[in-house]
Structure formats: C-alpha cells, structure tokens
Amino acid sequence: MHLSSLQLACAALAALALSAAAAPPAQTQHHVARRSFFNLQCKGVYDAAIFARLDRICDDCYTLFREPQLYSLCRAKCFTTPYFKGCMESLYLLDEEEQIDQMIDFVGKR
C-alpha cells in the first residue's frame, strides 16, 4: 500500500499545522505572564513558577467566589493587598503564609 503524493502532502501539511499550533500558546502565555508581572507593578525578579503560584491563588479565589473584580483586586499591587490575604484565608493557605510572603517579597520587592 503506497501513499499518493497528494496524501503524503496532506499528511505533511497536517503535521506542520499541528506543530505550529501547539508551539505558540506556551510562548504566548509566557509573554502574557511576563507583561502581567510588570503591569502589576512588581519590581522584583520575574520567576515564572513563583508568579504562576501567586496568580493561581487569585484564580482559585475567583473560582470560589465568582466575583468579577476579585481576581484583579487580589493581584493588585503585586499581590500585596488585603484581598490577597483574604483569599489565602478563604483557601486555607495560612499555614503556607510565610512561604507565600517570601514569594511576594521575591517578585515584588516590598
């Protein structure tokens, strides 16, 4: 069973399209997160893993309460608002408070 040149060309185009479609989102997410880091007025060191962890707290808090402004208020001033602390409390993360505060200090340079 041999593939015709048309079938081979279609398979190659499909593989190329799949690989091209898969690559940009990871790069785009990185650039969006980095831009978000600066938009939040974070003046520390950008670390994707730490920033993602802090951002996830705000995302989980929004998911819990479904209050549209909560996500932005939680992230405001590089995660240093009382809303962020309230989210930590609501998500039962106070036992990790010292570690999370160190993360905020690292990215935010309080």
Side-chain angles (χ1 to χ4, degrees):
M1 199 185 314
H2 295 280
L3 293 177
S4 71
S5 59
L6 181 59
Q7 289 173 322
L8 187 58
C10 287
L13 284 174
L16 181 63
L18 286 174
S19 67
Q27 294 172 351
T28 302
Q29 285 178 345
H30 176 72
H31 292 298
V32 169
R34 192 170 182 92
R35 189 175 333 119
S36 182
F37 173 81
F38 292 110
N39 288 344
L40 294 177
Q41 300 174 347
C42 296
K43 297 184 183 347
V45 177
Y46 175 74
D47 183 296
I50 290 174
F51 187 78
R53 172 70 172 116
L54 297 172
D55 191 55
R56 183 66 189 191
I57 291 169
C58 295
D59 189 48
D60 288 346
C61 193
Y62 166 75
T63 301
L64 181 64
F65 292 106
R66 297 287 183 192
E67 181 61 39
Q69 294 180 331
L70 185 57
Y71 180 70
S72 296
L73 293 169
C74 176
R75 298 173 80 229
K77 297 181 184 177
C78 201
F79 310 100
T80 58
T81 65
Y83 290 97
F84 184 82
K85 291 292 184 185
C87 286
M88 284 180 49
E89 185 176 324
S90 297
L91 296 168
Y92 299 106
L93 296 174
L94 291 180
D95 57 328
E96 299 176 40
E97 186 172 14
E98 186 176 326
Q99 180 185 13
I100 292 171
D101 282 344
Q102 288 174 352
M103 290 180 189
I104 293 170
D105 287 342
F106 185 74
V107 298
K109 289 291 183 195
R110 296 195 261 182

